[in-house]
Structures are given as structure tokens and as C-alpha cells.
Amino acid sequence: MNVQNVSITLAGRPLTIETGKLAEQADGAGTVRYGDTIVLSTAVSGGIREGLDFFPLTVEYEERMYAAGKIPGGFIKREGRPTEMAVLAARMTDRTIRPLFPKGYKNETQVINTVLSADQVNDPDIVALLGTSTALTISDIPFAGPVAAVRIGLIDGELVVNPTEAQLVDSALDLVVAGTADAIAMVEGFADQISEEQLLAALELAHREIQPLLRLQHELRERVGRPKREFTPPPTDEELAAQVRQLFGDRLQDAIYNPAKASRLAAVDAVKQELLARFTEGLEGGEKAARAKALNGIFEKMESTIVREGILHRGERPDGRDPREIRPIWCEVGVLPQTEPIELDPLEERVSETRRRV
């Protein structure tokens, strides 16, 4: 057993990343302890399932009551489905790491974060994201990491790094920022009407605070990291792509820049159907299906490129809005007559509570 660990102090609390003790059969695994919150993160990547045209990445976040020293009791004694917070934590991790895998990587990949201990002070969600990045970084799975995340709060006008759960109750900001050494990769959270200057300061502070966490992962990789497996992106038919761009590029651009959404979608689909019909003419069976699959990929890339270049270089969005312009926002209350709260007598309240428990 080759147990290795690295530690720092983050926001006044000790943080330790350890590997080599648990889940040794995974491609990459490690535990992250922050205060008394501990999360085990494992990463495994297998083979390619035939016929997939997307990256089959699964991120799971497992939380159990034993992590807080509790055992389910009463009528229901088993753990139930993932909570809303568990689902959100898994999605937050997924959004951060998914773009960092190589384009064209189609190997089935699974990341599981298991909360082993929850101290009710340090939220396990950012700990799980750090553990995920560590597991992928030290594994042989192709991954352009590492990444790390911190939470930023705003308490009494001061920005606070990784506020405790108790502090968040009085915080005007709850912002999770994840990123690499060079850039911010993911932002999630909410704020109570703070200024742009405060938000920008929070983002800058967060990016500075994640740098030591990235260095920890690099240090651990130097000690125990496995060589990354070779990955060759699937070949693309550049000649076919050039023909598609030449024949349909201008028409697709005209179809995309249509202010009416319904008309825009119909026009784009018409261009796509004509493209498929033209370049699959005379083909049958598997050869036709393979050509259609390649054409779909070329079309989606061409569509994405047109929209992206229009926004970045010309400041044009497909619906005609300026990049800094938002749609009109309006709201209305009291629309539905039966959604008004009603008062129950004490007996009805007890019956309703019993039904909810059952």
C-alpha cells in the first residue's frame, strides 16, 4: 500500500488530499478531508460502446445519513433517492470537468463521489469537485486538468472564502467558482442584489484561492500519477467538410440570422435536410448511415462556428440582439385562482402531516 497525502490550510481550516488507501482498483481515486468533512472520489474509464455519438460521462454524488452519524429509522429504514442538493452537486461537478476531456473521447467514464463524513460546517460539494479532479488527474484517463473550486460569501460587506454553513445563513452571496490555472471554468450561485464590482472581486478572489489547490494536485500527480493513456481523435473527412462549407455555408448563415425563432429553426432544418439528401444520394444501408453520421457532425460544427464567430467578431446574435442586450422581463402575480394558501384546522393539519410522512 503506497499511501500518499498532501495538505494545506484553506480559509483557516486544514485540507488534506490522500490516495493509495481506498478504491485501489479504480483508474484514479482519492479522499479529500476539509475540516471533518471527508469525500471519497473515484474515476473509471472503460471502452467505447458502438454507435455512440456523445461522450458517455456519468457523475454521481452519494450522500448517506451515516456520514452525519445518523441511522434511518421509523417506517422507512432505507436511504431514498438522491436529494435535490445531491443532484445539484453532481451536476456542478459534471459541468466543470466535461469540457476538459479531449474532443472525440467516447469512452464510457464514471465518477462517483461518496460523502464519508459530513461535519455540518464544510459543505461537501466543493470537496467532491476537488476529489473528482484529483482522481482524474492522477489516473491514466485523458484529462486537461486539474481543476478546483471554492465558495465565496459576502458577510457584512466583506468577501469570505469558503464560509461555513452557519455563516451562509447571513451571507448576501453564495458563489461557487471552479477553474484551471489559467481561467474560470464554471460559476454557480446566487446573490442578493450585489454590485458588479463586488461580483468581479469575488471571481478574482476565487481564482486566486484555487491556485494552491491546483498545485497540491500537481504535487500528488508527480508522486503517484499514472501515464495518460494514448488517445487519437477520430479522423474527420476534411474534403467532405470543405465541400459542405462551400455549398451550404452561406445559406446556413442566412438561415441562422433570422429574428423569428420558429422561422429560424425551420430554415436551418431545411438546409440540413437538403445537405443530407445531396451527399447521401445513391448510397444504401450502412454506407448511407455512416455518411449521414459524418454529415451531421460537420453540420453541427459549421453551425456552431457561424454563431460563435458572429458573436465574437461582429457582435451579432442570431435573433438580432446586441451581446449586452437581454429580452424584456415581466412578471405577474395572482394568475391562478387555486394557488392561494389556505388555512387548515388543527385536525386537517395532523392528517396532512401523517400522509406526508407515510
Side-chain angles (χ1 to χ4, degrees), residues 139-313:
S139 74
D140 65 340
I141 303 171
F143 179 66
V147 292
V150 294
R151 173 176 270 106
I152 303 294
L154 182 63
I155 303 171
D156 296 330
E158 296 293 331
L159 294 174
V160 178
V161 178
N162 285 351
T164 64
E165 293 184 11
Q167 288 177 311
L168 281 173
V169 174
D170 300 318
S171 178
L173 176 67
D174 183 355
L175 189 72
V176 176
V177 182
T180 64
D182 302 319
I184 291 174
M186 190 281 307
V187 177
E188 176 177 295
F190 69 89
D192 185 10
Q193 302 185 32
I194 69 173
S195 67
E196 290 187 14
E197 291 76 14
Q198 288 174 313
L199 181 57
L200 288 173
L203 294 173
E204 292 172 354
L205 174 62
H207 195 244
R208 288 197 303 271
E209 290 293 328
I210 68 175
Q211 301 305 315
L213 300 175
L214 301 176
R215 290 193 288 271
L216 275 187
Q217 296 177 68
H218 282 299
E219 181 181 344
L220 199 58
R221 174 161 179 78
E222 290 176 0
R223 296 190 201 174
V224 299
R226 301 164 59 185
K228 295 296 184 182
R229 66 185 69 169
E230 291 186 7
F231 169 71
T232 303
T236 57
D237 191 335
E238 293 298 337
E239 182 177 349
L240 178 62
Q243 293 179 18
V244 169
R245 287 192 296 268
Q246 181 179 2
L247 294 175
F248 292 92
D250 293 339
R251 289 184 52 193
L252 179 58
Q253 180 160 328
D254 293 339
I256 288 174
Y257 285 92
N258 188 327
K261 185 174 182 179
S263 301
R264 179 166 69 248
L265 295 177
V268 169
D269 186 64
V271 174
K272 182 177 181 179
Q273 296 306 319
E274 184 178 343
L275 181 154
L276 291 172
R278 174 160 186 162
F279 285 96
T280 60
E281 185 178 2
L283 302 178
E284 298 292 339
E287 187 179 4
K288 183 176 182 179
R291 174 62 68 85
K293 184 177 179 179
L295 289 168
N296 279 322
I298 292 171
F299 185 86
E300 290 177 3
K301 184 176 180 181
M302 183 169 66
E303 183 179 9
S304 174
T305 300
I306 290 173
V307 173
R308 180 179 176 83
E309 289 184 350
I311 294 173
L312 293 180
H313 301 309

